[in-house]
Amino acid sequence: MSPGIPRDDVRWAGPRALLIEVESLDAVLTLHAQLVDHPLTGQVEVIAAARTILAVFDSRTNARAARTALATLEATPSKGRLVSGDPVRIEVVYDGEDLAEVGRLTGLGVEGVVEAHSGQLWTAAFGGFAPGFAYLVGENEVLNVPRRTSPRTAVPAGSVALAGNFSAVYPRRSPGGWQLIGRTAARMWDLGREQPALLRPGMTVQYVPVRELIELNEQRGDSAVSPDAAAGPSLEIVTPGPQSLIQDLGRPGLGDLGVSASGAADTTSARQANRLVGNEPGDAVIETVLGGLSVRARGELTGALTGAAAPALIEGPRGNRPAPMCAPFALHDGESLHLDLPYAGQRTYLAVRGGIDVDPVLGSRATDLMSGIGPAILERGTILRVQEVEHGRVVGAAEPSTLPPAVLQGDGTAVLRITAGPRQDWFAPESRAALTEQAWTVTADSNRIGVRLATGDGGQPLERARSEELPSEGVVAGSLQVPPSGLPVLFLADHPVTGGYPVIGVVVPEDLPAAAQLPPGIAIRFVEVDPETFQPAATQRW
């Protein structure tokens, strides 16, 4: 690998991240090892892929400095990474939904695909996408097939799949656009093992055809807290509403394991809720979607509600009273708090003084729906311990809502700032212009993984200028990934670590909390800013 990375091969991926292109997988491994062993100033994480490395930094200033430093970086060739030992045997029932289509695309037919897939050794090159998801490279390219034109919203755990020149096993149920050729009962990720990932870079795999499998049961990293486990002040979940989760500020820096940062989708509101009750910014809170949450206090508690504005009522022996938004309130022993459907925004945050006390997983108490890591989704009867309050913590005063005006007022168009994406050149000039010139609409199938967009009145899907497959590469929260349908997906907190569709733009980190609160049907317009000169403090509008 020659000294230095040409400036043209270092692309912005938002104002705090760089996508670095190199000439081969060997070069990826060399540069990745260099950056892991000798991180650049402010480097948060570095994610290897087929032909690129994504380097994420803690500030725009450090990202700019890194772009300059990469021009003179001398990476030492990495040592051989093959792991000694026999190949890992993965038994497969070849009955995938796309098996016949792969047979047609390759010209091999169904039996030929099975023979080609199981008749060669595969080597784990790098991780990504999800915990335990390993990109495996075969001994030949006979099974090189494109991804599906439209990704599935849910691929079953244990699905064996192909995309480009890679094979992989989906560790858990998740979205995905790979071609499904079979299924396995092998557990690719298990936090109960000393090494949670079944496959690590350099290990080899032998796929073995079988007729039937022992059924694969998915596991989470944690379970709900049982009633007997709670001592001292606590919260009981009376009804969880459509979805209620434990969240904090996430677990950044684990992208190489396929673990996304996760954490609160609207970090601004989560921080505000903690601030109002005198907690640390990263203390655990409850994130609930579209109201319906009811909780009962066990002991004397102080709470705060922020984010999506919803009517809230406290019921108890002393009578009923409304609970305020964006202000601390008392929740006495035996009283219940009930949230109704929000009239503005989607996600409401409930903080209690002291913070929710659940066991951390990989350094965080956040529930990661994409990775299946962290506390379980909250259910009726769950008891949540409340941590002891540290002396000197001061309860805050009422504050204005942090919701963007278009959401809070229920009219108008939400405006999100973006930088040009690392793959904007994959799109026709008309489509690059259309991204910011036309309005987009949030669809109802959006979630914590991403906001799915549809065209507004008179709008058109985005067309590519290049039709070839893009090898999977690292993506950051805020990325506007565009599948062949031409309808962008805006990645949120639980987004996959890597993706195989081009990113045309990246929403700046300061606007992601607002994006997480956009309800279905609201219109969005994107405004492009320059990552080199972007000054969030000077232009922040909410």
Side-chain angles (χ1 to χ4, degrees):
M1 183 173 178
S2 58
I5 308 295
R7 192 172 180 84
D8 289 344
D9 292 341
V10 181
R11 301 170 178 241
W12 285 104
R16 302 180 192 170
L18 303 172
L19 189 70
I20 308 163
E21 290 188 294
V22 295
E23 67 274 10
S24 66
L25 182 56
D26 285 343
V28 166
L29 297 177
T30 296
L31 180 57
H32 178 263
Q34 176 79 8
L35 293 177
V36 168
D37 295 340
H38 307 284
L40 300 173
T41 301
Q43 181 178 301
V44 175
E45 66 182 347
V46 55
I47 300 169
R51 291 291 185 271
T52 61
I53 292 171
L54 178 71
V56 183
F57 298 87
D58 58 5
S59 69
R60 179 181 63 88
T61 299
N62 284 330
R64 289 181 61 190
R67 196 162 186 247
T68 300
L70 287 168
T72 58
L73 183 69
E74 294 188 23
T76 303
S78 58
K79 299 178 181 179
R81 292 186 173 236
L82 286 179
V83 177
S84 60
D86 295 332
V88 176
R89 288 169 54 88
I90 296 180
E91 296 184 342
V92 181
V93 173
Y94 287 96
D95 59 358
E97 295 180 37
D98 303 316
L99 181 59
E101 175 64 8
V102 172
R104 184 190 68 80
L105 290 170
T106 59
L108 297 174
V110 169
E111 292 185 1
V113 170
V114 174
E115 182 178 346
H117 192 250
S118 60
Q120 60 178 309
L121 286 179
W122 297 80
T123 302
F126 52 89
F129 185 76
F133 191 102
Y135 288 81
L136 306 178
V137 179
E139 296 173 306
N140 55 61
E141 297 191 9
V142 69
L143 292 176
N144 194 325
V145 292
R147 291 174 178 81
R148 290 170 50 86
T149 56
S150 180
R152 291 181 171 92
T153 57
V155 175
S159 294
V160 179
L162 296 169
N165 196 38
F166 297 104
S167 179
V169 177
Y170 281 78
R172 69 183 306 269
R173 184 180 178 87
S174 61
W178 289 39
Q179 305 279 4
L180 307 185
I181 62 172
R183 52 193 169 91
T184 181
R187 192 171 297 284
M188 309 304 294
W189 175 266
D190 187 346
L191 286 168
R193 293 192 299 238
E194 183 179 353
Q195 292 287 343
L198 179 64
L199 301 178
R200 303 187 305 279
M203 297 178 72
T204 56
V205 170
Q206 178 71 66
Y207 289 110
V208 180
V210 295
R211 293 185 178 275
E212 59 183 0
L213 298 168
I214 298 174
E215 204 57 38
L216 175 65
N217 295 316
E218 294 189 52
Q219 293 181 331
R220 292 200 61 83
D222 252 357
S223 59
V225 179
S226 67
D228 294 338
S234 61
L235 272 182
E236 177 187 354
I237 304 299
V238 179
T239 56
Q243 183 185 83
S244 294
L245 310 171
I246 302 298
Q247 294 295 345
D248 57 17
L249 297 182
R251 46 181 71 84
L254 301 176
D256 260 356
L257 294 178
V259 178
S260 65
S262 190
D266 177 356
T267 53
T268 301
S269 293
R271 288 174 179 271
Q272 183 184 43
N274 275 323
R275 183 168 61 249
L276 289 170
V277 296
N279 288 347
E280 291 287 344
D283 283 343
V285 299
I286 296 177
E287 175 186 280
T288 188
V289 179
L290 299 178
L293 173 69
S294 294
V295 298
R296 181 179 294 117
R298 294 187 173 191
E300 296 294 318
L301 303 175
T302 300
L305 294 167
T306 61
L313 182 67
I314 297 173
E315 298 179 347
R318 307 180 188 186
N320 300 342
R321 65 187 188 279
M325 289 295 302
C326 302
F329 56 84
L331 193 62
H332 299 296
D333 185 26
E335 289 187 328
S336 297
L337 171 69
H338 307 277
L339 270 65
D340 208 339
L341 186 70
Y343 55 83
Q346 286 207 85
R347 294 177 169 87
T348 304
Y349 292 85
L350 170 61
V352 291
R353 184 163 168 77
I356 304 296
D357 185 14
V358 295
D359 293 334
V361 178
L362 298 179
S364 168
R365 294 180 168 91
T367 301
D368 183 346
L369 296 180
M370 179 71 184
S371 301
I373 290 176
I377 297 173
L378 297 180
E379 299 177 347
R380 181 191 302 269
T382 300
I383 306 297
L384 299 172
R385 296 184 300 266
V386 176
Q387 297 187 94
E388 184 177 347
V389 178
E390 296 181 9
H391 293 294
R393 296 290 181 85
V394 179
V395 174
E399 299 180 3
S401 171
T402 61
L403 293 180
V407 174
L408 191 61
Q409 297 167 10
D411 59 10
T413 299
V415 178
L416 300 177
R417 294 166 293 179
I418 64 171
T419 62
R423 299 300 178 188
Q424 65 163 340
D425 57 337
W426 279 56
F427 295 88
E430 297 79 10
S431 290
R432 296 202 296 270
L435 179 64
T436 55
E437 290 175 356
Q438 69 183 31
W440 301 88
T441 303
V442 175
T443 68
D445 57 349
S446 301
N447 52 32
R448 280 179 49 87
I449 294 172
V451 177
R452 293 178 177 266
L453 303 179
T455 54
D457 293 339
Q460 297 293 324
L462 305 179
E463 295 184 6
R464 294 188 192 180
R466 298 172 60 174
S467 59
E468 69 266 32
E469 284 289 304
L470 175 69
S472 292
E473 58 191 18
V475 290
V476 297
S479 294
L480 286 164
Q481 182 177 257
V482 184
S485 65
L487 301 176
V489 179
L490 196 175
F491 281 154
L492 294 181
D494 287 355
H495 71 88
V497 174
T498 61
Y501 300 114
V503 172
I504 192 173
V506 181
V507 174
V508 301
E510 290 75 11
D511 286 2
L512 281 179
Q517 292 288 5
L518 300 178
I522 194 171
I524 297 176
R525 283 195 180 273
F526 297 111
V527 175
E528 187 170 337
V529 297
D530 186 344
E532 294 272 7
T533 59
F534 172 59
Q535 296 289 345
T539 55
Q540 188 70 27
R541 294 151 302 150
W542 52 70

